[in-house]
Amino acid sequence: MVQILFDRQINPAYNNMIVTVYVKIVESFFLNSSSCQKGRRRKEGNKGVIVTTGLEPGEETLRHAAELASTLGLQVVNRRDFSLGQMRKRYGVEEVLVVSALGARLEVPGKKPFFFHPNTSAFRIKRLMRGDTDTMLVACQIQPGDEVLDATLGLGADAIVFSHATGANGKVVGIESERLLAILVEDGLRHWSSDAEELEQAMRRIEVRCGNHLEVLRGLPARSFDVVYFDPMFEITVQSSSGIAGVRELANPDALSEEAVLEAQRVARKRVVMKEGKEGRMYERFGFTPFRSRGQQVVYSYKEIGGGE
Ligand SMILES: C[S@@+](CC[C@H](N)C(=O)[O-])C[C@H]1O[C@@H](n2cnc3c(N)ncnc32)[C@H](O)[C@@H]1O
């Protein structure tokens, strides 16, 4: 639920496109929709978030900001020539979502800005196009046309690689429990522009669902995806990518549950695969087969469905 706290002011310069409204998110707004969560690690006392643009936004940026704000159930606050500090004071918030020609970024005082970027997927796709292999794809035995459920979307790098490999006839759905993260990543997947056409196409094909994967899995028919993939957060410290580290503040740190793994085995047609650090023993706990690759900082492990190798 969104509360409008003070009144609006039409900005004629933008053909009435932007209505300047200050909206404060009532806490329950983030919590009431299905199983989407407000990031649990974020400090108490956040008063809300506003959506605005960079200084002197172009029309495309204004459109993008309006679209993002509407997804969040908010409206865009006119930036005028205020600094972010001034905006925070004026509207009594800490978190500001700033949309610019480069995309959307979340600005929180004292923290690095968070923004979507393709992270490791860009060079992994380049390598695949050169004919190299990708350990995750091999562990998952991905074929063109496969349908993949990435149950821990995060920044979406793995999902982008899946999407590239499954191709236009395949399907990749990414589940993310944290609402703001899911919205920013979905927005990035739709807007990020790249000279690498393959990367861009792979990003555009991904479908994002915000929810807890256990609940989403429970609602899915048996054998409805070829592969279900888990890359839970508690292994973050061993993930070499600094890109994903930026997600930590917003992410759900819960360990993978046995219920989710069992549901995944019902939903998958071919394999359930998980990723953990090289010291991790999650695969033993769940009876998965480790798929080791020399020199890797991570271990993929899998459970074959209906057969086994
Ligand atoms: C390590 S990150 C995944 C990184 C991702 N594979 C990538 O390539 O960017 C784990 C993500 O899963 C999300 N997550 C954790 N538990 C979840 C759950 N039960 N349901 C949905 N998402 C979950 C976290 O919020 C976090 O964004």
Side-chain angles (χ1 to χ4, degrees):
M1 182 191 174
V2 175
Q3 250 181 2
I4 298 182
L5 291 185
F6 68 71
D7 217 337
R8 63 197 81 168
Q9 180 189 338
I10 308 288
N11 183 340
Y14 301 142
N15 294 331
N16 296 350
M17 193 173 131
I18 288 205
V19 178
T20 304
V21 179
Y22 171 38
V23 282
K24 178 172 159 57
I25 296 174
V26 173
E27 199 77 347
S28 63
F29 170 63
F30 276 115
L31 298 169
N32 65 6
S33 73
S34 69
S35 53
C36 280
Q37 298 290 326
K38 182 180 179 188
R40 295 146 223 232
R41 287 192 169 187
R42 294 157 76 199
K43 279 189 188 148
E44 292 304 315
N46 285 346
K47 294 175 186 159
V49 57
I50 53 171
V51 180
T52 191
T53 62
L55 297 166
E56 298 182 29
E59 273 198 22
E60 188 48 46
T61 298
L62 291 170
R63 240 194 311 275
H64 184 181
E67 184 193 309
L68 186 58
S70 121
T71 313
L72 280 160
L74 297 172
Q75 281 176 308
V76 181
V77 175
N78 189 349
R79 176 73 184 265
R80 301 186 197 168
D81 54 0
F82 293 128
S83 69
L84 291 184
Q86 288 168 324
M87 299 282 285
R88 284 191 183 101
K89 259 201 193 132
R90 195 177 168 89
Y91 298 110
V93 296
E94 286 197 344
E95 303 185 344
V96 184
L97 255 175
V98 183
V99 182
S100 74
L102 295 175
R105 64 179 199 276
L106 181 68
E107 294 272 2
V108 183
K111 292 178 188 157
K112 283 190 181 163
F114 173 79
F115 53 91
F116 168 84
H117 53 94
N119 203 16
T120 56
S121 65
F123 70 79
R124 286 165 71 189
I125 289 178
K126 253 190 210 155
R127 284 201 311 226
L128 285 165
M129 290 176 72
R130 281 201 311 252
D132 292 348
T133 52
D134 182 278
T135 313
M136 176 190 80
L137 295 178
V138 180
C140 295
Q141 298 208 326
I142 295 295
Q143 300 294 323
D146 273 354
E147 299 183 333
V148 178
L149 185 66
D150 180 344
T152 48
L153 180 69
L155 264 182
D158 288 336
I160 297 170
V161 175
F162 282 130
S163 173
H164 171 76
T166 55
N169 296 325
K171 175 164 118 176
V172 176
V173 177
I175 311 173
E176 173 55 56
S177 59
E178 307 310 295
R179 179 171 164 78
L180 193 51
L181 190 49
I183 288 172
L184 285 174
V185 170
E186 184 186 41
D187 182 75
L189 289 168
R190 272 191 288 127
H191 288 97
W192 180 275
S193 75
S194 163
D195 294 340
E197 206 182 312
E198 293 280 337
L199 174 69
E200 216 180 84
Q201 286 172 1
M203 289 194 287
R204 303 291 188 263
R205 287 194 293 264
I206 296 167
E207 207 181 295
V208 176
R209 283 189 66 174
C210 182
N212 188 301
H213 56 223
L214 177 57
E215 289 177 32
V216 177
L217 283 162
R218 280 182 176 147
L220 289 171
R223 311 284 168 250
S224 48
F225 281 85
D226 292 296
V227 172
V228 179
Y229 173 76
F230 294 104
D231 173 16
M233 199 67 190
F234 67 98
E235 294 293 355
I236 190 75
T237 47
V238 299
Q239 298 200 358
S240 50
S241 155
S242 58
I244 196 69
V247 150
R248 200 189 301 219
E249 283 288 334
L250 297 176
N252 175 351
D254 291 353
L256 187 54
S257 71
E258 193 169 353
E259 291 92 327
V261 174
L262 288 173
E263 279 299 315
Q265 289 174 51
R266 182 185 62 78
V267 166
R269 287 190 284 265
K270 297 181 181 170
R271 273 186 177 199
V272 177
V273 177
M274 58 195 179
K275 175 163 112 183
E276 61 186 315
K278 67 175 178 184
E279 310 298 342
R281 288 290 174 271
M282 200 164 59
Y283 67 85
E284 282 177 358
R285 188 174 147 221
F286 293 125
F288 278 41
T289 307
F291 180 91
R292 289 187 188 280
S293 173
R294 248 191 297 159
Q296 294 264 354
Q297 289 299 304
V298 293
V299 174
Y300 295 94
S301 60
Y302 62 91
K303 178 83 126 196
E304 202 80 31
I305 307 297
E309 275 181 64

